[in-house]
C-alpha cells in the first residue's frame, strides 16, 4: 500500500513540474510581456510586445541590431511599460566583427521614459530620462581612461544631461567594468538587477553559468512605467550586434517596502549626485583660490608702486635740498 502511494506521489510530481519549479524559485517571476525568447515570430511578420527600428533584422536564431557595416543604427523596444518596483533583466547577446583591433561603436540597454527615438547615444536619443547600461567597444582619444575597452557602464539621467561621447561618458558614469565579450564562440550574458533602489550589474562572459560582479550602487531611484529597450550603432568602425534573448523577472519585495507604483519620481542616483556636489564644491574652491591670490598680487603690486613713488618723491626732495645748499655756497 505504501509503495502504491509513493508511486502516485512521484507520478503527480513528474506530471506537474511547475510545482517543483514554483517551490524552487519562489521569489523571481518571469514577465513574459517584457521578455523576448525564441522562436521570435508571432502572427504575421511582427514579434509580440516588441517594436523594431533602423537596421534591425529578425532571424530564427537572433535579432541583429546592426550588421558588421559602417554607419548603422538599430533598436528594439518593448511596447508595454514596466509597472513593477523590483526587476531583473538577463540579456543573452553576441558582438562579432571581422577586425581584431579596430571595431565599434557598441550597444545599450535602456529603461527609459521615451521609446523608439533614434539618436546619437548608441542608437537612441540623448537627454533621456531613465537608466542606460552601455557596452562601449570603442575608446575615444579624448577620454584618457584608465581602463580598456570593451567597457560596461551605467548612467542615470533625468533628461537634463547629455552623454559625452568624446570622454566615453566619463563625467556621468555611475560605475563600470571591463568586459571582453567580442567574437566569443559561446553564449555571453549580462544581468541588470534593480531591487530596493539598488542597481547591480553582473555578467557571464565565460559560459560558466554563474554571474560575475561588475558593479553595484545603492540609492538609485527609478520610476515605474518606463520602457525596456536595446539599441546599437556603428560609425567609421563596425561590429554585428545581436540579441539572442531578453528574460525579465519580477523580484519579490521585502516586507516593509511598498509594492505600489511610483511613476512620478525623478530618476536619480543619490550617491552620484553627492559626488557631483563634492566635485563642484572642490572646483568652486579651486576657482576661488586663484582669484584670491590674484587679489593679493594686485594689492602687493599696488603697495610696491606706492613705495616706489614715495622713494622717488623723497629722492627728489633730497636732490632739491642739495641743489639749494650748493647755490647758497656760491653766494
Amino acid at each position: 500500500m505504501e509503495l502504491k502511494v509513493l508511486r502516485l506521489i512521484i507520478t503527480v510530481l513528474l506530471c506537474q513540474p511547475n510545482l517543483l519549479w514554483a517551490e524552487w524559485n519562489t521569489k523571481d517571476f518571469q514577465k513574459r510581456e517584457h521578455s523576448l525568447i525564441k522562436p521570435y515570430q508571432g502572427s504575421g511578420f511582427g514579434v509580440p510586445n516588441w517594436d523594431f527600428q533602423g537596421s534591425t533584422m529578425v532571424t530564427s536564431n537572433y535579432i541583429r541590431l546592426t550588421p558588421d557595416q559602417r554607419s548603422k543604427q538599430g533598436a528594439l523596444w518593448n511596447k508595454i511599460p514596466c509597472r513593477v518596483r523590483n526587476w531583473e533583466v538577463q540579456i543573452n547577446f553576441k558582438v562579432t566583427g571581422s577586425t581584431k583591433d579596430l571595431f565599434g561603436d557598441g550597444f545599450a540597454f535602456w529603461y527609459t521614459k521615451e521609446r523608439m527615438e533614434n539618436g546619437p547615444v548608441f542608437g537612441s536619443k540623448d537627454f533621456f530620462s531613465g537608466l542606460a547600461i552601455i557596452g562601449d567597444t570603442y575608446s575615444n582619444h579624448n577620454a584618457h581612461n584608465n581602463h580598456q575597452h570593451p567597457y560596461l557602464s551605467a548612467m542615470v539621467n533625468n533628461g537634463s544631461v547629455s552623454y559625452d561621447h568624446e570622454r566615453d561618458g566619463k563625467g556621468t558614469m555611475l560605475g563600470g567594468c571591463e568586459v571582453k565579450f567580442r567574437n566569443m564562440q559561446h553564449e555571453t550574458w549580462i544581468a541588470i538587477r534593480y531591487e530596493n533602489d539598488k542597481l547591480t550589474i553582473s555578467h557571464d562572459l565565460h559560459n560558466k553559468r554563474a554571474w560575475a560582479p561588475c558593479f553595484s550602487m545603492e540609492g538609485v531611484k527609478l520610476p515605474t512605467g518606463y520602457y525596456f529597450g536595446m539599441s546599437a550603432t556603428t560609425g567609421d568602425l563596425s561590429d554585428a550586434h545581436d540579441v539572442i534573448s531578453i528574460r525579465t523577472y519580477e523580484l519579490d519585495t521585502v516586507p516593509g517596502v511598498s509594492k505600489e507604483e511610483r511613476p512620478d519620481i525623478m530618476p536619480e542616483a543619490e550617491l552620484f549626485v553627492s559626488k557631483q556636489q563634492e566635485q563642484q564644491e572642490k572646483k568652486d574652491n579651486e576657482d576661488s583660490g586663484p582669484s584670491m591670490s590674484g587679489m593679493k598680487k594686485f594689492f602687493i603690486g599696488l603697495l610696491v608702486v606706492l613705495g616706489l613713488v614715495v622713494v622717488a618723491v623723497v629722492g627728489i626732495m633730497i636732490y632739491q635740498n642739495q641743489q639749494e645748499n650748493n647755490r647758497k655756497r656760491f653766494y
Side-chain angles (χ1 to χ4, degrees):
M1 181 65 181
E2 293 180 355
L3 184 59
K4 289 184 179 180
V5 173
L6 181 59
R7 287 178 178 175
L8 179 60
I9 293 173
I10 292 175
T11 302
V12 170
L13 290 175
L14 290 175
C15 293
Q16 300 291 334
N18 290 334
L19 294 177
L20 289 174
W21 174 251
E23 183 63 24
W24 179 259
N25 190 4
T26 58
K27 293 187 176 181
D28 301 348
F29 307 94
Q30 185 168 342
K31 305 290 286 184
R32 297 191 179 277
E33 66 271 28
H34 302 306
S35 298
L36 185 64
I37 304 170
K38 293 186 290 186
Y40 309 116
Q41 301 291 353
S43 57
F45 296 100
V47 177
N49 301 325
W50 294 86
D51 285 325
F52 305 89
Q53 64 181 162
S55 59
T56 303
M57 178 181 64
V58 181
T59 73
S60 59
N61 293 319
Y62 54 81
I63 296 175
R64 176 154 289 174
L65 301 178
T66 68
D68 188 5
Q69 299 173 10
R70 294 180 178 181
S71 303
K72 297 293 183 180
Q73 283 190 353
L76 61 94
W77 285 92
N78 196 205
K79 295 179 181 180
I80 303 171
C82 179
R83 305 291 186 187
V84 300
R85 287 276 295 269
N86 298 323
W87 45 264
E88 179 173 319
V89 178
Q90 299 176 4
I91 304 169
N92 185 4
F93 69 101
K94 201 171 185 67
V95 178
T96 55
S98 57
T99 61
K100 181 180 179 181
D101 299 319
L102 296 175
F103 43 83
D105 282 337
F107 66 90
F109 162 83
W110 303 94
Y111 176 67
T112 57
K113 182 179 181 180
E114 311 85 1
R115 64 184 294 272
M116 296 291 287
E117 294 188 34
N118 286 327
V121 186
F122 297 92
S124 193
K125 68 165 291 184
D126 201 359
F127 295 98
F128 62 90
S129 180
L131 168 70
I133 306 298
I134 297 170
D136 190 353
T137 55
Y138 180 73
S139 176
N140 288 289
H141 299 297
N142 295 332
H144 303 294
N145 295 313
N146 296 323
H147 57 258
Q148 301 296 316
H149 281 66
Y151 195 77
L152 193 65
S153 65
M155 176 180 176
V156 171
N157 198 355
N158 59 11
S160 65
V161 180
S162 176
Y163 178 81
D164 188 352
H165 275 283
E166 296 300 319
R167 301 177 66 236
D168 293 332
K170 193 173 182 179
T172 55
M173 187 187 303
L174 301 184
C177 62
E178 296 180 14
V179 279
K180 305 298 183 182
F181 51 66
R182 288 188 74 252
N183 290 332
M184 291 292 189
Q185 299 303 313
H186 52 259
E187 293 184 346
T188 50
W189 295 77
I190 58 173
I192 303 97
R193 188 179 184 91
Y194 181 66
E195 185 176 23
N196 302 324
D197 294 339
K198 180 180 180 180
L199 177 67
T200 303
I201 310 300
S202 309
H203 57 77
D204 177 13
L205 305 180
H206 304 291
N207 203 27
K208 293 183 177 180
R209 302 299 177 183
W211 296 116
C214 178
F215 81 95
S216 62
M217 176 173 281
E218 302 271 5
V220 177
K221 305 290 188 181
L222 296 176
T224 56
Y226 281 17
Y227 295 92
F228 294 122
M230 292 284 297
S231 67
T233 187
T234 64
D236 293 334
L237 304 174
S238 64
D239 265 336
H241 299 90
D242 300 336
V243 176
I244 300 169
S245 70
I246 300 174
R247 300 175 186 271
T248 304
Y249 299 90
E250 179 182 359
L251 306 180
D252 195 16
T253 303
V254 298
V257 177
S258 175
K259 295 183 179 181
E260 294 182 0
E261 297 181 28
R262 50 178 191 181
D264 299 323
I265 68 169
M266 187 76 72
E268 69 171 359
E270 293 176 352
L271 295 179
F272 182 71
V273 171
S274 300
K275 183 179 178 182
Q276 280 187 317
Q277 291 174 346
E278 291 176 1
Q279 291 176 343
Q280 186 61 43
E281 290 176 0
K282 183 178 179 182
K283 183 176 182 298
D284 292 341
N285 291 334
E286 290 175 351
D287 291 341
S288 63
S291 63
M292 289 296 293
S293 62
M295 292 293 291
K296 289 180 181 178
K297 289 179 180 179
F298 171 76
F299 284 115
I300 290 172
L302 181 61
L303 291 174
V304 170
V305 171
L306 291 175
L308 292 174
V309 171
V310 170
V311 170
V313 170
V314 171
I316 291 172
M317 292 175 64
I318 293 172
Y319 176 77
Q320 289 178 343
N321 287 334
Q322 289 178 346
Q323 293 294 322
E324 185 68 23
N325 291 333
N326 291 334
R327 281 197 297 271
K328 288 180 178 180
R329 286 190 194 139
F330 286 114
Y331 292 105

